[in-house]
Structure formats: C-alpha cells, structure tokens
Amino acid sequence: MDRISLGNDEFEGRNNAYVLADEDDGLALVDTGVATPDCRVQLREELAERGYEFADVDDIVLTHHHPDHAGLAGEIQAESDATVYVHEADAPLVEADPDAVTALKELRRESLSEWGVPAEAREELLAFLEATSGVDGEPVDATPIEDGDVVAVGGRTLEAVHAPGHTAGLCCFEIDGASETRSGSDDAAHAGTEAFVGDAILPVYTPNVGGADIRVERPLETYLASLRTIVDRGYARLWPGHRDPIDDPAARALTIRDHHRERTENVLEVLTEHGPADAWTVSDHLFGDLEGIHILHGPGEAYAHLDHLRHEGVVTLEDDEYHLIDPDADIGEIVSSSH
C-alpha cells in the first residue's frame, strides 16, 4: 500500500490518495483528490513514477462524496473503465444525479435561512460554490455499497464500515495491517487491523459536522456514534484523508470527543451571556468573520451542537432561535453518552 499526498488549495489542505497494487488483482485507488489541473497532473506523475497511468486503474474506492476525495474519480473511470465503490447514501452525488443535486441545493438554501445567515453572506457562499463547482469533476458511474460489504481490490480485501456524520455516506474501509506499508519514502510494518477513514477522523483538524453535509440528521449525535464505532473496532492504525497516519486511533477519537464537549460548553456560554440566538449568531460568537466554504461550515457546526442540545432538553427552538432552559445541564454526560 502506497500513500500519495496531493495538493489541495480549495478546501482543507493536502489530500491523501492510497494506491493498492497486485500483479494478479490489478490496481486500485482509495480516494483520488480534487479535480483541479494541478492535482490532476500531480496524480498522473505520481502514478507514472510507480509505473502506472489512469488507464491502468481497475478499481476506485471512495470514502465519501466530497470533491477533494472524489473529484478525479469520474475522469479516471472514463479512461480506465474502473469500478467505483461508494456508499449508497453518497452515490447519487458522485454520480451528479440531477434530482440529488437539486435536492441538496434546496436543502442548503432552507438551512441557511433557518440558521439566520444574512443575505450578503449567503450570496458570498453561493458565489464561492459556483466558482469552485469544477472541482467536482466528471460524473461517476458508481457501484453503491452498504455497511459490512466487502470488496476485493488491488490484492487487498476491504470491509466497509459506515461512519456517517461528516457526510451521510462516509465509510471507513478496514484492511489487515500486517503486511508492509509504505508511506511516502518511509517503510513500516504494522500488525493489526487498520482502516482508510477519509474525514471520519483526522490527525490535526476536527472534521466539520452540520455544514459539511446538511443531509445528515442529528449530525453531532450521528458523528459521535461513528467515533464510538471507530474506538470499539480497536484499530491499530488509521489512514486518513488528510495528513499523516494516526497511530493511536482511540486517543485521537477521545480528543475529538473532548473538543465537541468544549464546543458545546462554549455554545451554552453564548446563550447564557447573550440570550436567545440563531445558529448564525452563535457561530459569529464562536468563530468571528467567515468567508468561502466556512460560511456554510461555521453556522452548520453551531447548528449541530444546538440541535443536539435541543434533543437533550437543554434548549428549545422558537422561531429559529435557541432558548436556554437548563443552564445546569451536565454537558460531559450529554456528549459522553452519545459517544
């Protein structure tokens, strides 16, 4: 297994694409990078250094639908006729199904309005999304998969573990980690079950919930449950969609859970100090001025925490504003019980 680090100036930094190759079982990629000219050239060059080209790819496994992970899949498939595996919840978006795309845009408009995002900020966000729409790449002819499905690609067997939250269809893909693994220029042998995890868990950033995929219901609760799944499966190492491998998955998952506990406490502090507020106002207190994709991610993150507090009976929602009704709630218990 070989990791390629790809450039990505549009979203959250460099992306990982993983190469699985076997003389008998062919060539597979796990994620592909974003569909920009620079990333396209880089992926072609990196594959060429390994003796491959796009036309040689037999299978593509996508952790989720976001363009920085799936953007080049359609172009590679057009050259190679590769099979592209992705969870059934995200498949319509990588296929650019018109109904799914229209529904997502409408849901986005409704959510931005409900969150209280001002018209000027909404226009800025929509202009950003329109300007970067090309990074989605060519539509894919997807092979949908479900939780527990097993695919044999590149000489390895991958089991899909549904881990929604960041997106509705995000999957981790388990592999046996006992064989030799090469990461960049470093060789390492690491026994135990490992997993490709996309943005389910990252080594530095905390994956966005709420704004990253507004289709996800109960986004914070859903994401915390996925963190629990990752911990319970006892992985020895994780291969994320960005940056370096995670060698202590349980510790990293707990750190992210603690981050969400602290953020929930910060949300309550905003409501305590400033009174009832919509998600945009809470976001403004938490993050300040936002631009680009963060106009979606900021209030989406605030909404995810407010929504969780509402379902836990800590706040109520009236006319798109959240009212604190239980200032003494045990936030540690609320977040930990979800995890």
Side-chain angles (χ1 to χ4, degrees), residues 73-98:
E75 181 176 334
I76 296 170
Q77 185 182 52
E79 292 192 29
S80 65
D81 198 30
T83 301
V84 180
Y85 300 98
V86 63
H87 190 272
E88 60 183 0
D90 280 7
L93 293 179
V94 299
E95 291 180 317
D97 176 79

Side-chain angles (χ1 to χ4, degrees), residues 64-297:
H64 59 298
H65 75 81
H66 285 158
D68 54 332
H69 298 262
L72 288 171
E75 181 176 334
I76 296 170
Q77 185 182 52
E79 292 192 29
S80 65
D81 198 30
T83 301
V84 180
Y85 300 98
V86 63
H87 190 272
E88 60 183 0
D90 280 7
L93 293 179
V94 299
E95 291 180 317
D97 176 79
D99 291 339
V101 172
T102 298
L104 178 61
K105 289 181 178 180
E106 180 59 31
L107 180 59
R108 182 184 295 133
R109 285 192 291 267
E110 292 174 359
S111 297
L112 293 172
S113 177
E114 291 171 359
W115 296 344
V117 179
E120 183 177 351
R122 275 183 272 170
E123 292 173 3
E124 180 183 342
L125 171 65
L126 295 177
F128 170 84
L129 294 173
E130 180 64 26
T132 59
S133 60
V135 302
D136 294 342
E138 298 296 324
V140 166
D141 180 10
T143 297
I145 58 175
E146 301 177 353
D147 181 61
D149 282 353
V150 175
V151 296
V153 298
R156 306 298 289 268
T157 299
L158 308 184
E159 179 180 349
V161 179
H162 191 206
H166 183 66
T167 76
L170 193 149
C171 278
C172 304
F173 291 93
E174 291 185 356
I175 58 172
D176 182 349
S179 62
E180 186 176 273
T181 298
R182 185 159 71 87
S183 173
S185 60
D186 299 326
D187 290 338
H190 197 78
T193 303
E194 305 180 1
F196 302 107
V197 295
D199 291 353
I201 179 171
L202 297 172
V204 177
Y205 294 108
T206 300
N208 182 264
V209 293
D213 190 344
I214 54 179
R215 302 174 303 156
V216 179
E217 296 183 4
R218 302 288 304 274
L220 181 57
E221 180 182 57
T222 299
Y223 178 67
L224 292 173
S226 291
L227 280 182
R228 177 60 181 268
T229 296
I230 291 171
V231 171
D232 289 347
R233 295 187 81 91
Y235 297 127
R237 175 184 285 167
L238 302 179
W239 299 93
H242 303 266
R243 298 179 182 254
D244 295 326
I246 299 170
D247 290 325
D248 191 344
R252 181 58 187 155
L254 293 174
T255 296
I256 293 174
R257 183 204 64 183
D258 289 344
H259 163 86
H260 282 293
R261 175 184 53 76
E262 293 172 4
R263 174 138 303 161
T264 303
E265 291 173 347
N266 292 337
V267 168
L268 286 183
E269 290 173 1
V270 171
L271 296 181
T272 299
E273 294 177 13
H274 302 280
D278 56 28
W280 175 258
T281 302
V282 172
S283 170
D284 186 54
H285 285 291
L286 294 176
F287 309 120
D289 293 336
L290 300 172
E291 60 183 21
I293 194 63
H294 299 290
I295 296 173
L296 177 63
H297 287 177

